Amino acid sequence: MKMGRHARRLSTRRESIEAKTENVTTGNRRSPATRQSIERIVPITEEFEDDLEIGEDKWSSHFKKLGSTAVNLSAIASPEDDVHKKELSPKMQETIREIFNVYFEGDYTSWQNSIEQNTFVAFWLSIRGTMPWLQPWIEECTPRFLGTILLFSEICLRGIGQVFFQNNPISGLLILIGLFIQSTRVALHGVLAVIAGNLLAILLRFDTGLIRSGLFGYNSVLVGLALATFDSSEEHSGWYAPIPVSSIIFGSFSSILFVFMGKILVPYQSPPLTLPFNVATLIFLAGSAHMLRVQTGPVVMPSFPDYSSSNVDMSITAKQFFSGTIRGIGQVYLANKISSGLLIWAGIAVCSRISALAAFFGSALGVLVALATGSEPSAIEQGMFGFNPSLTVTAMIMFYVPTLGAVIFALMAGVMTVAGQQALASIMSPYGLPFMTLPFCAICLPFIIVQGTTPIVFPVPLSSMTVPEDHLERFHCLKDGFIFLLEAIDSSKKSKNVTDRRANLKKLTKKSSKFTDELSQSLQSTEMN
């Protein structure tokens, strides 16, 4: 394994992180104390050296261990050595923490921020990802009253996008436009519900970070869309007063359910997904049978499963396949128009191209599995077998670093989601109730909760979650920094005399000046103090 390749990759991928720290210029000479300190790293890291030959299987656990160890390199020294009890400089601690612990605590600055581009590309990059600059800009550059309204609207738009794990207001705006194209009546119910859910979270003073990320809105908007869709097939008319009132009440209740289920799932490092939406909606649909002043009917005609086989032609055309795939993406928001599905897909792509690809692939996978198992062609074309697998595959790529292992998880989970949907349809059809996104929740949760028990996937902590592009960039940055440090230690340890060690360190400095210089300078400063 060549040293130069990893050093160059580390230097390239660390541009945005390195921009946070000043350049540290060091002389060509290194004191014996500095070399001694570098050698003191060896006992802690010897157990990691074999991983270069073993591969990536152990990295998931080793990264965190090395990250927490490297933050305070002075602890490596022997307890009786007072010289080495000094702490590293804050600048060096920040560098090491960001290299080796970026996945485990704190925020991460996207690589997009460090790229110098023309105006159009800079604007495009500014609206991609999670747009963390927007909320501070609204607060600082707008009058207080107007800023409050704009900020709340931005939070609501983020909530709409968060249905597909996209924490981006532009994504939410494009999705909302698609919903209005589908049905103004249904879309307005969704707007009422998302406003109610966020207002309740603010009034109850729930976690501000969760509110500002739109996490109290995505279940609420789905509740409003579902109640209006199941009430009537009218697109722009057919308003019925109990439904908007119920959208507000049950949309707000979904925020309570979100906190309740989130606290239950905290030990398992998993969010409640869309379970609050499913529970709140099913409570209304099942309870409406006893609401004499609310005129509702079964969402689907109650019937028992039919296990008989038939000779009906189950084949579909390429056009039907494509239609079913695009509609599957839109059906996540209960929209079956192709134009709406395309706008929703575009909204996902604005935030993350990887997520957009995963959403399309998941929907297509659902269509293929449904077709292979002989499901109803008309239901396939309407996207009924695409929306749950689309959510599942997107979740796998979001909650895990998008590596080969995550793709394997996504394939397995996507296929099982279709089977789970078929099973839940049989269970719930006698009661005239829809399965909604319950198959996604039932299958996705086990695949998320098993994190940490297999080395083929690398979970993303919920507090550090942004978009798959950033997750992958962090992973490669961490990986290259890890390998670079091991090779630096190995090179220093194998040198037989002081001159060779000094030459090796100088060589490493040239190949990755930022990392090596700051490491050496910080160690030298620590020992001189």
Side-chain angles (χ1 to χ4, degrees):
M1 186 174 293
K2 299 293 184 182
M3 175 61 214
R5 177 164 60 91
H6 291 294
R8 287 192 297 271
R9 287 168 62 188
L10 173 62
S11 179
T12 300
R13 288 179 175 136
R14 295 252 332 130
E15 287 180 357
S16 63
I17 296 178
E18 290 168 346
K20 297 180 180 178
T21 57
E22 298 176 2
N23 291 324
V24 179
T25 304
T26 60
N28 292 331
R29 298 182 61 186
R30 299 288 186 263
S31 68
T34 299
R35 293 192 299 273
Q36 185 180 12
S37 290
I38 294 176
E39 291 172 4
R40 289 180 181 274
I41 303 175
V42 173
I44 293 294
T45 55
E46 277 181 342
E47 63 179 288
F48 300 111
E49 292 183 359
D50 294 337
D51 288 350
L52 289 175
E53 298 179 0
I54 295 175
E56 301 182 6
D57 290 349
K58 296 183 179 179
W59 278 343
S60 180
S61 59
H62 289 345
F63 279 165
K64 187 170 184 178
K65 184 176 180 181
L66 182 59
S68 59
T69 301
V71 172
N72 291 308
L73 287 177
S74 57
I76 297 171
S78 58
E80 64 274 7
D81 192 347
D82 293 335
V83 175
H84 296 286
K85 290 182 180 180
K86 306 283 187 180
E87 290 188 355
L88 293 175
S89 66
K91 187 182 299 181
M92 190 56 212
Q93 289 186 34
E94 179 70 12
T95 300
I96 294 175
R97 182 179 292 107
E98 287 174 337
I99 290 176
F100 294 103
N101 218 29
V102 69
Y103 247 147
F104 310 103
E105 62 179 5
D107 298 326
Y108 178 82
T109 300
S110 172
W111 57 272
Q112 299 167 358
N113 297 335
S114 65
I115 301 177
E116 295 183 2
Q117 299 284 359
N118 59 45
T119 304
F120 174 77
V121 176
F123 171 75
W124 170 247
L125 292 178
S126 70
I127 65 173
R128 287 177 56 194
T130 59
M131 296 181 66
W133 56 269
L134 183 57
Q135 291 181 358
W137 181 86
I138 292 175
E139 293 175 334
E140 294 174 5
C141 301
T142 57
R144 184 172 182 179
F145 178 74
L146 177 61
T148 301
I149 295 176
L150 290 177
L151 184 60
F152 183 77
S153 300
E154 192 255 12
I155 291 172
C156 290
L157 290 176
R158 287 182 184 271
I160 295 173
Q162 282 282 20
V163 175
F164 247 118
F165 313 103
Q166 308 307 301
N167 182 15
N168 184 301
I170 305 299
S171 298
L173 179 61
L174 288 173
I175 293 169
L176 184 61
I177 293 172
L179 295 179
F180 272 98
I181 291 176
Q182 172 70 29
S183 169
T184 55
R185 181 184 63 86
V186 173
L188 285 173
H189 280 80
V191 171
L192 285 174
V194 73
I195 290 174
N198 280 308
L199 279 177
L200 181 66
I202 293 172
L203 291 174
L204 295 180
R205 298 183 182 180
F206 287 144
D207 185 85
T208 303
L210 298 181
I211 294 173
R212 290 191 167 220
S213 297
L215 292 176
F216 285 100
Y218 74 95
N219 281 292
S220 299
V221 69
L222 287 177
V223 170
L225 296 175
L227 296 190
T229 300
F230 298 149
D231 173 63
S232 172
S233 60
E234 295 289 338
E235 293 184 0
H236 309 295
S237 60
W239 284 80
Y240 179 51
I243 302 303
V245 173
S246 299
S247 297
I248 293 172
I249 295 173
F250 286 87
S252 301
F253 178 56
S254 69
S255 293
I256 303 294
L257 289 173
F258 175 80
V259 176
F260 164 69
M261 295 179 182
K263 294 185 72 172
I264 293 176
L265 292 171
V266 160
Y268 307 103
Q269 297 295 311
S270 175
L273 303 176
T274 56
L275 274 175
F277 149 65
N278 286 280
V279 172
T281 304
L282 286 175
I283 288 175
F284 171 80
L285 294 176
S288 62
H290 299 277
M291 301 177 188
L292 300 181
R293 295 185 182 276
V294 179
Q295 298 179 5
T296 60
V299 177
V300 295
M301 292 304 298
S303 63
F304 288 99
D306 183 8
Y307 294 96
S308 62
S309 59
S310 62
N311 296 322
V312 178
D313 184 15
M314 297 293 178
S315 62
I316 61 173
T317 63
K319 180 180 178 181
Q320 290 174 315
F321 176 85
F322 179 78
S323 298
T325 300
I326 297 299
R327 285 191 174 111
I329 298 174
Q331 285 283 14
V332 171
Y333 294 87
L334 296 95
N336 68 343
K337 288 185 178 179
I338 294 180
S339 56
S340 298
L342 287 172
L343 268 172
I344 292 170
W345 190 32
I348 300 171
V350 166
C351 184
S352 168
R353 290 172 294 176
I354 294 179
S355 294
L357 182 63
F360 183 87
F361 175 77
S363 184
L365 178 64
V367 171
L368 287 174
V369 175
L371 187 62
T373 55
S375 297
E376 182 65 35
S378 60
I380 295 175
E381 186 179 2
Q382 290 299 313
M384 296 305 296
F385 288 94
F387 69 95
N388 275 300
S390 183
L391 281 172
T392 299
V393 172
T394 306
M396 292 297 101
I397 300 301
M398 178 64 70
F399 290 96
Y400 293 106
V401 178
T403 59
L404 179 60
V407 173
I408 293 173
F409 259 41
L411 281 170
M412 295 171 59
V415 172
M416 288 306 304
T417 300
V418 178
Q421 176 174 320
Q422 293 167 332
L424 282 170
S426 297
I427 293 172
M428 302 182 74
S429 59
Y431 304 97
L433 295 173
F435 49 78
M436 295 181 290
T437 59
L438 279 173
F440 154 64
C441 297
I443 302 300
C444 194
L445 280 174
F447 278 89
I448 294 176
I449 292 175
V450 299
Q451 61 180 277
T453 61
T454 171
I456 73 165
V457 290
F458 301 91
V460 180
L462 297 180
S463 60
S464 301
M465 194 169 294
T466 53
V467 292
E469 286 85 351
D470 278 353
H471 302 165
L472 192 61
E473 192 69 18
R474 297 182 210 179
F475 174 78
H476 285 304
C477 177
L478 197 61
K479 173 181 172 182
D480 290 342
F482 178 73
I483 293 176
F484 176 79
L485 181 60
L486 289 182
E487 292 178 342
I489 294 168
D490 185 67
S491 178
S492 177
K493 188 175 67 171
K494 288 181 179 179
S495 299
K496 297 181 179 180
N497 53 61
V498 173
T499 304
D500 289 342
R501 289 175 180 175
R502 185 176 297 172
N504 285 334
L505 185 58
K506 184 177 180 180
K507 183 178 179 181
L508 291 171
T509 300
K510 291 180 180 180
K511 292 183 177 181
S512 185
S513 59
K514 281 277 187 178
F515 180 78
T516 308
D517 282 347
E518 291 188 9
L519 176 62
S520 300
Q521 176 68 19
S522 182
L523 289 170
Q524 186 174 5
S525 300
T526 299
E527 293 160 4
M528 291 176 63
N529 289 335

